[in-house]
Amino acid sequence: MSDPARAANTPVKPVRPVRIDTMDAKDNSSSRRRATRAKLYEAAVTLIAEQGFSATTVDEIAERAGVAKGTVYYNFKSKSELFEELLRYGVGLLTASLQSAADETAERGGGKVEALDAMIRAGLVFIDRYPAFTQLYVAELWRTNRAWQSTLLVVRQQAVAVVETVLREAVESGELSEEIDIPLTAAALVGMVLVAALDWQSFQRERSLDDVHGALSLLLHGRVSGR
Amino acid sequence: MSDPARAANTPVKPVRPVRIDTMDAKDNSSSRRRATRAKLYEAAVTLIAEQGFSATTVDEIAERAGVAKGTVYYNFKSKSELFEELLRYGVGLLTASLQSAADETAERGGGKVEALDAMIRAGLVFIDRYPAFTQLYVAELWRTNRAWQSTLLVVRQQAVAVVETVLREAVESGELSEEIDIPLTAAALVGMVLVAALDWQSFQRERSLDDVHGALSLLLHGRVSGR
DNA sequence: ACTTTTGCACTGACTAGTCAGTCTAAAAGA
DNA sequence: TCTTTTAGACTGACTAGTCAGTGCAAAAGT
Protein backbone atom coordinates (compact mmCIF):
# COMPACT_ATOMS: atom_id res chain seq x y z
CA MET A 1 0.00 0.00 0.00
CA SER A 2 0.93 3.64 -0.45
CA ASP A 3 2.82 3.08 -3.65
CA PRO A 4 3.83 6.40 -5.21
CA ALA A 5 4.36 4.74 -8.59
CA ARG A 6 0.68 4.00 -8.61
CA ALA A 7 0.20 5.37 -12.12
CA ALA A 8 -0.17 1.78 -13.28
CA ASN A 9 -3.84 1.39 -12.38
CA THR A 10 -5.05 3.90 -14.94
CA PRO A 11 -5.87 1.34 -17.60
CA VAL A 12 -6.85 4.01 -20.14
CA LYS A 13 -4.55 2.56 -22.76
CA PRO A 14 -3.50 -1.10 -22.30
CA VAL A 15 -0.37 0.16 -20.53
CA ARG A 16 2.83 0.21 -22.57
CA PRO A 17 3.91 -2.42 -25.15
CA VAL A 18 4.84 -4.95 -22.47
CA ARG A 19 8.35 -6.25 -21.97
CA ILE A 20 7.82 -9.99 -22.29
CA ASP A 21 6.40 -9.73 -25.78
CA THR A 22 6.96 -13.38 -26.53
CA MET A 23 5.59 -14.63 -23.21
CA ASP A 24 2.40 -16.57 -23.77
CA ALA A 25 1.64 -20.25 -23.48
CA LYS A 26 -1.72 -21.38 -24.81
CA ASP A 27 -1.76 -20.12 -28.39
CA ASN A 28 -5.23 -21.44 -29.08
CA SER A 29 -6.90 -18.48 -27.39
CA SER A 30 -7.98 -15.18 -28.84
CA SER A 31 -5.42 -12.45 -29.13
CA ARG A 32 -7.34 -10.50 -26.56
CA ARG A 33 -6.89 -13.28 -24.04
CA ARG A 34 -3.28 -13.71 -24.99
CA ALA A 35 -2.62 -10.05 -24.37
CA THR A 36 -4.29 -10.25 -20.97
CA ARG A 37 -2.30 -13.33 -20.04
CA ALA A 38 0.91 -11.66 -21.11
CA LYS A 39 0.16 -8.71 -18.88
CA LEU A 40 -0.48 -11.06 -15.98
CA TYR A 41 2.73 -13.03 -16.54
CA GLU A 42 4.72 -9.87 -16.73
CA ALA A 43 3.23 -8.54 -13.51
CA ALA A 44 3.49 -11.84 -11.68
CA VAL A 45 7.06 -12.60 -12.63
CA THR A 46 8.36 -9.34 -11.24
CA LEU A 47 6.36 -9.39 -8.05
CA ILE A 48 7.06 -13.02 -7.26
CA ALA A 49 10.75 -12.61 -7.97
CA GLU A 50 10.90 -9.73 -5.54
CA GLN A 51 8.73 -11.06 -2.77
CA GLY A 52 8.30 -14.74 -3.29
CA PHE A 53 5.17 -16.64 -4.24
CA SER A 54 3.39 -16.64 -0.89
CA ALA A 55 4.10 -13.02 -0.10
CA THR A 56 2.65 -11.87 -3.41
CA THR A 57 -1.10 -11.34 -3.45
CA VAL A 58 -3.42 -11.85 -6.35
CA ASP A 59 -4.72 -8.33 -5.83
CA GLU A 60 -1.21 -6.98 -6.33
CA ILE A 61 -0.73 -8.96 -9.51
CA ALA A 62 -4.04 -7.78 -10.92
CA GLU A 63 -3.37 -4.20 -9.98
CA ARG A 64 0.10 -4.24 -11.49
CA ALA A 65 -1.20 -5.81 -14.66
CA GLY A 66 -3.94 -3.20 -14.80
CA VAL A 67 -6.78 -5.71 -14.89
CA ALA A 68 -9.58 -6.64 -12.53
CA LYS A 69 -9.07 -9.41 -10.04
CA GLY A 70 -11.86 -11.42 -11.61
CA THR A 71 -9.90 -11.46 -14.85
CA VAL A 72 -7.11 -13.37 -13.18
CA TYR A 73 -9.58 -16.09 -12.27
CA TYR A 74 -11.23 -15.96 -15.65
CA ASN A 75 -7.86 -16.79 -17.21
CA PHE A 76 -6.34 -19.13 -14.63
CA LYS A 77 -7.81 -21.71 -12.29
CA SER A 78 -5.78 -20.45 -9.36
CA LYS A 79 -2.79 -18.47 -8.23
CA SER A 80 -0.55 -21.54 -8.39
CA GLU A 81 -1.74 -22.39 -11.86
CA LEU A 82 -0.72 -18.97 -13.06
CA PHE A 83 2.66 -19.56 -11.47
CA GLU A 84 3.19 -23.00 -12.95
CA GLU A 85 2.29 -21.73 -16.39
CA LEU A 86 4.89 -19.04 -15.91
CA LEU A 87 7.56 -21.56 -14.96
CA ARG A 88 6.80 -23.81 -17.88
CA TYR A 89 6.93 -21.05 -20.37
CA GLY A 90 10.04 -19.38 -18.99
CA VAL A 91 12.13 -22.52 -18.93
CA GLY A 92 10.87 -23.32 -22.40
CA LEU A 93 12.33 -20.05 -23.59
CA LEU A 94 15.65 -20.71 -21.86
CA THR A 95 15.96 -24.20 -23.24
CA ALA A 96 15.19 -23.03 -26.76
CA SER A 97 17.77 -20.31 -26.46
CA LEU A 98 20.48 -22.70 -25.23
CA GLN A 99 19.62 -25.19 -27.93
CA SER A 100 19.78 -22.66 -30.72
CA ALA A 101 23.12 -21.39 -29.45
CA ALA A 102 24.44 -24.94 -29.71
CA ASP A 103 22.89 -25.49 -33.13
CA GLU A 104 24.22 -22.28 -34.58
CA THR A 105 27.72 -23.15 -33.45
CA ALA A 106 27.41 -26.55 -35.09
CA GLU A 107 26.18 -24.98 -38.34
CA ARG A 108 29.16 -22.69 -38.34
CA GLY A 109 31.31 -25.78 -37.99
CA GLY A 110 32.47 -24.82 -34.51
CA GLY A 111 33.69 -27.36 -31.96
CA LYS A 112 31.77 -28.59 -28.95
CA VAL A 113 33.70 -26.49 -26.46
CA GLU A 114 32.89 -23.52 -28.61
CA ALA A 115 29.26 -24.58 -28.38
CA LEU A 116 29.47 -24.67 -24.60
CA ASP A 117 30.93 -21.21 -24.64
CA ALA A 118 28.10 -20.02 -26.87
CA MET A 119 25.61 -21.58 -24.46
CA ILE A 120 27.16 -19.76 -21.55
CA ARG A 121 26.69 -16.54 -23.43
CA ALA A 122 23.13 -17.45 -24.36
CA GLY A 123 22.43 -18.13 -20.70
CA LEU A 124 23.81 -14.76 -19.72
CA VAL A 125 21.80 -12.98 -22.40
CA PHE A 126 18.66 -14.71 -21.21
CA ILE A 127 19.26 -13.76 -17.60
CA ASP A 128 20.05 -10.23 -18.64
CA ARG A 129 16.74 -10.06 -20.46
CA TYR A 130 14.61 -11.83 -17.86
CA PRO A 131 16.36 -11.31 -14.54
CA ALA A 132 13.15 -11.60 -12.56
CA PHE A 133 12.33 -14.95 -14.04
CA THR A 134 15.75 -16.34 -13.26
CA GLN A 135 15.56 -15.10 -9.70
CA LEU A 136 12.27 -16.77 -9.17
CA TYR A 137 13.41 -20.00 -10.76
CA VAL A 138 16.48 -20.29 -8.55
CA ALA A 139 14.50 -19.41 -5.46
CA GLU A 140 11.98 -22.16 -6.05
CA LEU A 141 14.03 -24.91 -7.63
CA TRP A 142 15.33 -26.66 -4.56
CA ARG A 143 12.30 -26.33 -2.35
CA THR A 144 10.69 -29.57 -1.42
CA ASN A 145 7.06 -30.10 -0.46
CA ARG A 146 5.68 -27.57 -2.86
CA ALA A 147 2.78 -28.08 -5.19
CA TRP A 148 4.72 -27.33 -8.36
CA GLN A 149 7.72 -29.49 -7.37
CA SER A 150 7.07 -31.96 -10.18
CA THR A 151 6.67 -29.25 -12.79
CA LEU A 152 10.02 -27.87 -11.73
CA LEU A 153 11.75 -31.21 -11.88
CA VAL A 154 10.68 -31.78 -15.45
CA VAL A 155 11.57 -28.30 -16.45
CA ARG A 156 15.02 -28.44 -14.84
CA GLN A 157 15.76 -31.72 -16.55
CA GLN A 158 14.97 -30.17 -19.94
CA ALA A 159 17.48 -27.40 -19.42
CA VAL A 160 20.26 -29.55 -17.97
CA ALA A 161 19.77 -32.16 -20.69
CA VAL A 162 20.76 -29.69 -23.38
CA VAL A 163 24.07 -29.11 -21.66
CA GLU A 164 24.60 -32.82 -20.99
CA THR A 165 24.14 -33.63 -24.66
CA VAL A 166 26.80 -31.20 -25.75
CA LEU A 167 29.16 -32.44 -23.04
CA ARG A 168 28.63 -36.00 -24.18
CA GLU A 169 29.35 -35.12 -27.79
CA ALA A 170 32.43 -33.24 -26.70
CA VAL A 171 33.76 -36.28 -24.86
CA GLU A 172 33.01 -38.53 -27.83
CA SER A 173 34.84 -36.23 -30.20
CA GLY A 174 37.78 -36.13 -27.82
CA GLU A 175 37.49 -32.43 -27.16
CA LEU A 176 36.87 -33.03 -23.48
CA SER A 177 38.54 -35.50 -21.17
CA GLU A 178 36.84 -38.83 -20.59
CA GLU A 179 37.43 -38.29 -16.91
CA ILE A 180 34.54 -35.87 -16.58
CA ASP A 181 31.32 -36.84 -14.89
CA ILE A 182 28.69 -35.59 -17.31
CA PRO A 183 25.63 -35.07 -15.09
CA LEU A 184 27.63 -33.46 -12.32
CA THR A 185 29.61 -31.26 -14.65
CA ALA A 186 26.47 -30.15 -16.43
CA ALA A 187 24.86 -29.21 -13.14
CA ALA A 188 27.99 -27.37 -12.04
CA LEU A 189 28.19 -25.42 -15.29
CA VAL A 190 24.55 -24.42 -15.17
CA GLY A 191 24.99 -23.40 -11.56
CA MET A 192 28.09 -21.42 -12.28
CA VAL A 193 26.33 -19.42 -14.96
CA LEU A 194 23.14 -18.96 -12.96
CA VAL A 195 24.81 -17.76 -9.81
CA ALA A 196 27.46 -15.66 -11.50
CA ALA A 197 24.77 -13.93 -13.51
CA LEU A 198 22.49 -13.29 -10.56
CA ASP A 199 25.41 -11.94 -8.59
CA TRP A 200 26.30 -9.71 -11.47
CA GLN A 201 22.73 -8.40 -11.66
CA SER A 202 22.38 -7.89 -7.93
CA PHE A 203 25.76 -6.91 -6.65
CA GLN A 204 28.02 -6.00 -9.57
CA ARG A 205 25.79 -4.10 -11.96
CA GLU A 206 28.68 -2.06 -13.30
CA ARG A 207 30.27 -5.04 -15.08
CA SER A 208 29.37 -5.70 -18.69
CA LEU A 209 27.99 -8.93 -20.06
CA ASP A 210 31.34 -9.44 -21.77
CA ASP A 211 33.21 -9.18 -18.47
CA VAL A 212 31.07 -11.90 -16.98
CA HIS A 213 31.26 -14.04 -20.07
CA GLY A 214 35.02 -13.64 -20.11
CA ALA A 215 35.41 -14.77 -16.52
CA LEU A 216 33.24 -17.84 -17.02
CA SER A 217 34.84 -18.68 -20.33
CA LEU A 218 38.26 -18.63 -18.72
CA LEU A 219 37.08 -21.13 -16.13
CA LEU A 220 35.58 -23.36 -18.80
CA HIS A 221 38.73 -23.36 -20.90
CA GLY A 222 40.87 -24.16 -17.89
CA ARG A 223 43.06 -21.15 -18.47
CA VAL A 224 42.66 -20.10 -14.85
CA SER A 225 45.64 -21.99 -13.56
CA GLY A 226 49.09 -21.56 -15.02
CA ARG A 227 49.70 -18.52 -17.20
CA MET B 1 -1.62 -28.59 21.21
CA SER B 2 -1.81 -32.11 22.61
CA ASP B 3 1.92 -32.61 22.52
CA PRO B 4 2.94 -35.87 24.17
CA ALA B 5 6.51 -34.61 24.42
CA ARG B 6 5.32 -32.12 27.00
CA ALA B 7 8.04 -33.19 29.43
CA ALA B 8 9.96 -30.12 28.28
CA ASN B 9 8.53 -27.74 30.86
CA THR B 10 9.92 -29.68 33.80
CA PRO B 11 13.22 -27.84 34.04
CA VAL B 12 14.50 -29.96 36.95
CA LYS B 13 17.95 -30.28 35.50
CA PRO B 14 19.03 -27.76 32.80
CA VAL B 15 17.77 -30.07 30.04
CA ARG B 16 20.14 -32.24 28.02
CA PRO B 17 23.17 -31.19 25.91
CA VAL B 18 21.07 -30.11 22.89
CA ARG B 19 21.39 -31.37 19.31
CA ILE B 20 22.64 -28.32 17.42
CA ASP B 21 25.37 -27.95 19.96
CA THR B 22 27.12 -25.13 18.17
CA MET B 23 23.97 -23.34 17.10
CA ASP B 24 23.33 -20.41 19.40
CA ALA B 25 23.94 -16.74 18.96
CA LYS B 26 23.51 -14.70 22.14
CA ASP B 27 25.65 -16.54 24.69
CA ASN B 28 24.69 -14.22 27.50
CA SER B 29 21.40 -16.01 28.14
CA SER B 30 20.59 -18.85 30.47
CA SER B 31 21.09 -22.39 29.32
CA ARG B 32 17.36 -22.92 29.37
CA ARG B 33 16.89 -20.08 26.92
CA ARG B 34 19.75 -21.25 24.78
CA ALA B 35 18.23 -24.68 24.55
CA THR B 36 14.87 -23.19 23.54
CA ARG B 37 16.45 -20.97 20.91
CA ALA B 38 18.33 -23.94 19.51
CA LYS B 39 15.09 -25.87 19.21
CA LEU B 40 13.48 -22.93 17.44
CA TYR B 41 16.36 -22.52 14.99
CA GLU B 42 16.32 -26.18 14.21
CA ALA B 43 12.58 -26.17 13.59
CA ALA B 44 12.60 -22.94 11.60
CA VAL B 45 15.49 -23.81 9.30
CA THR B 46 13.84 -26.98 8.07
CA LEU B 47 10.39 -25.54 7.63
CA ILE B 48 11.55 -22.37 5.92
CA ALA B 49 13.85 -24.30 3.62
CA GLU B 50 10.97 -26.49 2.57
CA GLN B 51 8.23 -23.93 2.24
CA GLY B 52 9.82 -20.52 2.17
CA PHE B 53 9.65 -17.76 4.77
CA SER B 54 6.17 -16.45 4.06
CA ALA B 55 4.57 -19.84 3.71
CA THR B 56 5.89 -20.96 7.08
CA THR B 57 3.74 -19.98 10.04
CA VAL B 58 4.95 -19.16 13.50
CA ASP B 59 2.52 -21.75 14.84
CA GLU B 60 4.20 -24.43 12.76
CA ILE B 61 7.62 -23.45 14.00
CA ALA B 62 6.46 -23.48 17.60
CA GLU B 63 4.73 -26.81 17.25
CA ARG B 64 7.73 -28.42 15.58
CA ALA B 65 10.03 -27.08 18.26
CA GLY B 66 7.65 -28.36 20.92
CA VAL B 67 7.10 -24.98 22.56
CA ALA B 68 4.18 -22.59 22.81
CA LYS B 69 3.77 -19.79 20.32
CA GLY B 70 4.32 -17.21 23.01
CA THR B 71 7.77 -18.64 23.59
CA VAL B 72 8.78 -17.69 20.08
CA TYR B 73 7.91 -14.10 20.87
CA TYR B 74 9.50 -14.30 24.26
CA ASN B 75 12.78 -15.19 22.56
CA PHE B 76 12.58 -13.13 19.38
CA LYS B 77 11.07 -9.77 18.56
CA SER B 78 9.35 -11.09 15.47
CA LYS B 79 9.25 -13.83 12.90
CA SER B 80 11.75 -11.97 10.71
CA GLU B 81 14.12 -11.42 13.60
CA LEU B 82 14.22 -15.14 14.23
CA PHE B 83 14.99 -15.60 10.57
CA GLU B 84 17.74 -12.99 10.44
CA GLU B 85 19.40 -14.48 13.49
CA LEU B 86 19.35 -17.80 11.72
CA LEU B 87 20.97 -16.35 8.61
CA ARG B 88 23.68 -14.59 10.55
CA TYR B 89 24.57 -17.65 12.48
CA GLY B 90 24.50 -20.05 9.56
CA VAL B 91 26.71 -17.95 7.31
CA GLY B 92 29.05 -17.44 10.26
CA LEU B 93 29.49 -21.18 10.42
CA LEU B 94 30.07 -21.47 6.68
CA THR B 95 32.62 -18.67 6.61
CA ALA B 96 34.51 -20.13 9.53
CA SER B 97 34.58 -23.49 7.88
CA LEU B 98 35.89 -22.10 4.58
CA GLN B 99 38.49 -20.03 6.39
CA SER B 100 39.79 -22.90 8.43
CA ALA B 101 40.05 -25.07 5.32
CA ALA B 102 42.23 -22.38 3.77
CA ASP B 103 44.30 -21.96 6.93
CA GLU B 104 44.92 -25.66 7.37
CA THR B 105 46.16 -25.94 3.82
CA ALA B 106 48.53 -23.05 4.41
CA GLU B 107 49.85 -24.64 7.60
CA ARG B 108 50.52 -27.84 5.74
CA GLY B 109 52.53 -25.76 3.28
CA GLY B 110 50.04 -26.39 0.47
CA GLY B 111 49.63 -24.05 -2.49
CA LYS B 112 46.76 -21.65 -3.09
CA VAL B 113 45.04 -23.77 -5.67
CA GLU B 114 45.18 -26.59 -3.17
CA ALA B 115 43.54 -24.23 -0.69
CA LEU B 116 40.75 -23.50 -3.15
CA ASP B 117 40.25 -27.19 -3.60
CA ALA B 118 40.07 -27.66 0.17
CA MET B 119 37.52 -24.85 0.34
CA ILE B 120 35.37 -26.52 -2.26
CA ARG B 121 35.41 -29.64 -0.15
CA ALA B 122 34.64 -27.68 3.00
CA GLY B 123 31.70 -26.08 1.22
CA LEU B 124 30.39 -29.46 0.20
CA VAL B 125 30.78 -30.86 3.70
CA PHE B 126 28.90 -27.88 5.09
CA ILE B 127 26.05 -28.27 2.63
CA ASP B 128 25.94 -31.99 3.32
CA ARG B 129 25.57 -31.24 7.01
CA TYR B 130 23.15 -28.34 6.76
CA PRO B 131 21.29 -28.82 3.50
CA ALA B 132 18.23 -26.98 4.74
CA PHE B 133 20.19 -23.91 5.62
CA THR B 134 21.86 -23.78 2.23
CA GLN B 135 18.57 -24.17 0.45
CA LEU B 136 17.09 -21.33 2.38
CA TYR B 137 20.11 -19.12 1.80
CA VAL B 138 20.10 -19.58 -1.94
CA ALA B 139 16.37 -19.07 -2.14
CA GLU B 140 16.49 -15.74 -0.35
CA LEU B 141 19.81 -14.29 -1.50
CA TRP B 142 18.74 -12.60 -4.67
CA ARG B 143 15.38 -11.33 -3.62
CA THR B 144 15.05 -7.60 -3.57
CA ASN B 145 12.65 -5.60 -1.44
CA ARG B 146 12.87 -7.81 1.59
CA ALA B 147 13.39 -6.72 5.16
CA TRP B 148 16.56 -8.71 5.69
CA GLN B 149 18.13 -7.68 2.37
CA SER B 150 20.91 -5.76 4.13
CA THR B 151 21.70 -8.60 6.52
CA LEU B 152 22.04 -10.88 3.54
CA LEU B 153 24.31 -8.51 1.67
CA VAL B 154 26.75 -8.31 4.56
CA VAL B 155 26.64 -12.00 5.12
CA ARG B 156 27.21 -12.83 1.44
CA GLN B 157 30.15 -10.48 1.29
CA GLN B 158 31.77 -12.26 4.23
CA ALA B 159 31.61 -15.59 2.50
CA VAL B 160 32.72 -14.38 -0.92
CA ALA B 161 35.54 -12.35 0.61
CA VAL B 162 37.21 -15.49 1.92
CA VAL B 163 37.36 -16.90 -1.59
CA GLU B 164 38.49 -13.60 -3.09
CA THR B 165 41.40 -13.39 -0.69
CA VAL B 166 42.70 -16.80 -1.63
CA LEU B 167 42.26 -16.03 -5.33
CA ARG B 168 44.21 -12.81 -4.92
CA GLU B 169 47.05 -14.58 -3.13
CA ALA B 170 47.07 -17.22 -5.82
CA VAL B 171 47.45 -14.60 -8.53
CA GLU B 172 50.23 -12.87 -6.60
CA SER B 173 52.11 -16.10 -6.15
CA GLY B 174 51.76 -16.81 -9.86
CA GLU B 175 49.71 -19.93 -9.30
CA LEU B 176 46.76 -18.45 -11.15
CA SER B 177 46.75 -16.37 -14.30
CA GLU B 178 46.68 -12.59 -13.96
CA GLU B 179 43.92 -12.59 -16.55
CA ILE B 180 41.29 -13.65 -14.03
CA ASP B 181 38.70 -11.27 -12.73
CA ILE B 182 38.77 -11.87 -9.00
CA PRO B 183 35.29 -10.79 -7.86
CA LEU B 184 33.56 -12.46 -10.78
CA THR B 185 35.57 -15.64 -10.51
CA ALA B 186 34.93 -15.83 -6.78
CA ALA B 187 31.21 -15.46 -7.32
CA ALA B 188 31.27 -18.06 -10.07
CA LEU B 189 33.17 -20.55 -7.91
CA VAL B 190 30.85 -20.08 -4.97
CA GLY B 191 27.90 -20.48 -7.29
CA MET B 192 29.30 -23.56 -8.88
CA VAL B 193 29.73 -25.25 -5.52
CA LEU B 194 26.39 -24.11 -4.16
CA VAL B 195 24.35 -25.21 -7.12
CA ALA B 196 26.24 -28.42 -7.77
CA ALA B 197 25.79 -29.38 -4.13
CA LEU B 198 22.10 -28.56 -4.03
CA ASP B 199 21.57 -30.47 -7.21
CA TRP B 200 23.42 -33.39 -5.76
CA GLN B 201 21.25 -33.29 -2.63
CA SER B 202 17.99 -32.91 -4.51
CA PHE B 203 18.37 -34.81 -7.72
CA GLN B 204 21.44 -37.04 -7.55
CA ARG B 205 21.43 -38.39 -4.01
CA GLU B 206 23.19 -41.57 -5.06
CA ARG B 207 26.50 -39.81 -5.77
CA SER B 208 29.09 -39.59 -3.02
CA LEU B 209 30.65 -36.40 -1.75
CA ASP B 210 33.86 -37.50 -3.42
CA ASP B 211 32.17 -37.80 -6.79
CA VAL B 212 30.93 -34.24 -6.55
CA HIS B 213 34.22 -32.96 -5.25
CA GLY B 214 36.02 -34.71 -8.06
CA ALA B 215 33.84 -33.16 -10.74
CA LEU B 216 34.26 -29.66 -9.35
CA SER B 217 37.96 -30.13 -8.76
CA LEU B 218 38.44 -31.12 -12.37
CA LEU B 219 36.75 -27.92 -13.48
CA LEU B 220 38.90 -25.84 -11.15
CA HIS B 221 42.12 -27.41 -12.33
CA GLY B 222 41.19 -26.92 -15.95
CA ARG B 223 41.63 -30.58 -16.74
CA VAL B 224 38.25 -30.70 -18.39
CA SER B 225 39.46 -29.83 -21.83
CA GLY B 226 42.19 -31.73 -23.58
CA ARG B 227 43.21 -35.10 -22.20
C1' DA C 1 13.00 -24.45 59.40
C1' DC C 2 9.26 -22.06 57.09
C1' DT C 3 7.01 -18.86 54.54
C1' DT C 4 6.90 -15.16 51.23
C1' DT C 5 8.72 -12.72 47.37
C1' DT C 6 11.07 -12.17 43.06
C1' DG C 7 11.90 -12.75 38.37
C1' DC C 8 12.62 -15.69 34.52
C1' DA C 9 10.75 -18.71 31.06
C1' DC C 10 6.95 -20.23 29.15
C1' DT C 11 1.79 -20.76 27.96
C1' DG C 12 -2.26 -20.55 24.91
C1' DA C 13 -6.60 -18.21 24.14
C1' DC C 14 -7.59 -14.11 21.88
C1' DT C 15 -7.50 -9.94 18.63
C1' DA C 16 -7.20 -7.54 14.56
C1' DG C 17 -6.08 -8.07 10.25
C1' DT C 18 -5.10 -10.34 5.63
C1' DC C 19 -5.98 -12.84 1.44
C1' DA C 20 -7.55 -16.53 -2.04
C1' DG C 21 -11.28 -17.23 -4.26
C1' DT C 22 -16.48 -16.21 -5.46
C1' DC C 23 -20.23 -13.70 -7.24
C1' DT C 24 -22.86 -10.27 -9.58
C1' DA C 25 -24.75 -7.26 -13.10
C1' DA C 26 -23.32 -4.59 -16.48
C1' DA C 27 -20.08 -2.89 -20.09
C1' DA C 28 -16.88 -3.56 -23.91
C1' DG C 29 -14.93 -6.14 -27.84
C1' DA C 30 -15.02 -8.88 -31.93
C1' DT D 1 -24.48 -12.87 -30.57
C1' DC D 2 -20.90 -14.73 -27.85
C1' DT D 3 -16.76 -13.93 -25.36
C1' DT D 4 -14.07 -11.39 -22.36
C1' DT D 5 -13.38 -7.97 -19.02
C1' DT D 6 -14.86 -4.82 -15.22
C1' DA D 7 -15.64 -3.06 -10.43
C1' DG D 8 -15.91 -4.19 -6.11
C1' DA D 9 -18.43 -6.31 -2.28
C1' DC D 10 -18.22 -10.44 0.26
C1' DT D 11 -16.83 -14.83 2.74
C1' DG D 12 -14.31 -17.97 5.34
C1' DA D 13 -10.05 -19.63 6.52
C1' DC D 14 -5.87 -18.56 8.25
C1' DT D 15 -2.06 -15.85 10.81
C1' DA D 16 1.27 -12.40 13.21
C1' DG D 17 1.53 -10.68 17.30
C1' DT D 18 -0.38 -9.76 22.30
C1' DC D 19 -1.21 -10.40 27.06
C1' DA D 20 -2.89 -12.04 31.48
C1' DG D 21 -1.63 -15.73 33.80
C1' DT D 22 1.12 -20.29 35.37
C1' DG D 23 5.11 -22.95 37.27
C1' DC D 24 9.25 -22.99 39.43
C1' DA D 25 13.82 -22.34 41.64
C1' DA D 26 16.42 -19.44 44.28
C1' DA D 27 16.66 -15.48 47.38
C1' DA D 28 14.90 -12.86 51.19
C1' DG D 29 12.52 -12.44 55.25
C1' DT D 30 11.09 -14.23 59.94
Side-chain angles (χ1 to χ4, degrees):
Chain A
M1 48 185 64
S2 80
D3 190 338
R6 220 42 326 281
N9 62 358
T10 32
V12 188
K13 291 294 166 190
V15 195
R16 79 219 77 176
V18 183
R19 177 55 356 123
I20 314 258
D21 35 59
T22 36
M23 271 234 182
D24 56 278
K26 349 201 125 168
D27 331 38
N28 54 322
S29 31
S30 71
S31 80
R32 186 138 170 255
R33 271 192 101 153
R34 251 183 299 143
T36 306
R37 287 217 175 93
K39 281 194 287 183
L40 285 170
Y41 284 146
E42 165 70 11
V45 81
T46 322
L47 288 167
I48 296 179
E50 279 173 1
Q51 310 176 319
F53 175 81
S54 309
T56 302
T57 69
V58 174
D59 289 86
E60 276 177 315
I61 296 173
E63 191 183 342
R64 173 102 163 218
V67 305
K69 187 178 182 176
T71 306
V72 175
Y73 287 93
Y74 185 78
N75 283 279
F76 299 95
K77 269 215 326 288
S78 66
K79 185 185 170 188
S80 340
E81 213 218 41
L82 162 56
F83 182 60
E84 283 192 69
E85 217 75 69
L86 198 55
L87 281 177
R88 250 189 289 275
Y89 188 71
V91 177
L93 274 188
L94 173 60
T95 307
S97 145
L98 292 180
Q99 188 64 65
S100 84
D103 293 348
E104 278 163 27
T105 310
E107 275 163 33
R108 275 207 326 279
K112 295 305 175 188
V113 173
E114 203 179 317
L116 283 173
D117 205 63
M119 286 163 79
I120 289 179
R121 174 166 280 268
L124 290 174
V125 168
F126 180 87
I127 296 171
D128 191 31
R129 171 125 78 178
Y130 308 110
F133 177 80
T134 311
Q135 229 169 294
L136 165 170
Y137 173 73
V138 170
E140 295 293 339
L141 183 58
W142 295 285
R143 291 221 193 290
T144 45
N145 290 359
R146 300 221 93 170
W148 48 81
Q149 190 59 21
S150 56
T151 304
L152 267 176
L153 213 141
V154 170
V155 125
R156 178 204 91 102
Q157 195 45 48
Q158 273 174 25
V160 174
V162 183
V163 179
E164 284 181 0
T165 304
V166 177
L167 280 176
R168 196 166 297 113
E169 292 168 350
V171 170
E172 277 162 18
S173 76
E175 275 188 85
L176 291 188
S177 157
E178 286 184 359
E179 280 181 283
I180 74 171
D181 182 314
I182 292 177
L184 287 177
T185 306
L189 284 175
V190 171
M192 190 182 87
V193 175
L194 232 47
V195 175
L198 283 174
D199 246 74
W200 159 45
Q201 293 285 327
S202 307
F203 307 121
Q204 314 192 43
R205 268 276 173 54
E206 68 282 7
R207 320 306 293 272
S208 71
L209 196 150
D210 286 321
D211 286 347
V212 184
H213 181 232
L216 296 180
S217 190
L218 223 52
L219 260 172
L220 173 69
H221 287 93
R223 301 221 328 285
V224 168
S225 49
R227 78 169 31 271
Chain B
M1 49 191 64
S2 78
D3 190 341
R6 217 51 316 286
N9 60 358
T10 32
V12 190
K13 290 294 168 188
V15 194
R16 81 222 76 183
V18 183
R19 170 79 326 150
I20 312 261
D21 34 64
T22 37
M23 268 236 180
D24 55 278
K26 349 204 126 165
D27 328 35
N28 54 322
S29 31
S30 75
S31 79
R32 177 126 178 258
R33 270 192 101 155
R34 251 183 299 142
T36 306
R37 284 217 176 93
K39 282 193 288 182
L40 285 170
Y41 284 146
E42 167 71 9
V45 81
T46 323
L47 288 167
I48 298 179
E50 279 172 1
Q51 310 175 318
F53 175 82
S54 308
T56 301
T57 70
V58 176
D59 289 87
E60 275 178 314
I61 296 173
E63 191 184 342
R64 174 105 165 213
V67 302
K69 187 177 188 178
T71 305
V72 176
Y73 288 93
Y74 182 76
N75 282 281
F76 299 95
K77 271 214 328 287
S78 64
K79 185 184 171 188
S80 346
E81 213 218 40
L82 163 57
F83 182 60
E84 284 191 67
E85 217 76 66
L86 200 55
L87 281 177
R88 249 189 290 275
Y89 188 70
V91 177
L93 274 188
L94 173 60
T95 308
S97 143
L98 292 181
Q99 188 65 65
S100 83
D103 294 348
E104 278 162 28
T105 310
E107 274 162 33
R108 275 207 327 279
K112 296 307 175 187
V113 173
E114 204 178 315
L116 283 174
D117 206 61
M119 287 163 78
I120 288 180
R121 175 165 279 267
L124 290 174
V125 169
F126 180 88
I127 296 171
D128 191 29
R129 172 124 79 178
Y130 308 109
F133 177 79
T134 311
Q135 228 169 294
L136 166 169
Y137 173 73
V138 170
E140 294 295 340
L141 183 58
W142 296 284
R143 292 224 191 290
T144 45
N145 288 0
R146 301 222 92 171
W148 50 79
Q149 189 59 22
S150 57
T151 304
L152 266 175
L153 214 140
V154 169
V155 125
R156 179 204 91 103
Q157 195 45 48
Q158 274 174 25
V160 176
V162 182
V163 180
E164 285 182 0
T165 303
V166 177
L167 280 176
R168 197 167 298 111
E169 292 168 351
V171 170
E172 276 162 19
S173 76
E175 276 188 83
L176 292 188
S177 157
E178 286 185 359
E179 278 182 283
I180 75 171
D181 183 315
I182 292 177
L184 287 178
T185 306
L189 284 175
V190 171
M192 189 183 86
V193 175
L194 233 47
V195 175
L198 283 174
D199 246 75
W200 160 43
Q201 292 285 328
S202 308
F203 308 121
Q204 314 192 43
R205 267 279 173 54
E206 68 282 7
R207 320 308 293 272
S208 72
L209 197 150
D210 286 320
D211 285 347
V212 184
H213 181 229
L216 296 181
S217 193
L218 224 53
L219 260 172
L220 174 69
H221 287 94
R223 300 219 331 284
V224 169
S225 48
R227 93 163 20 269

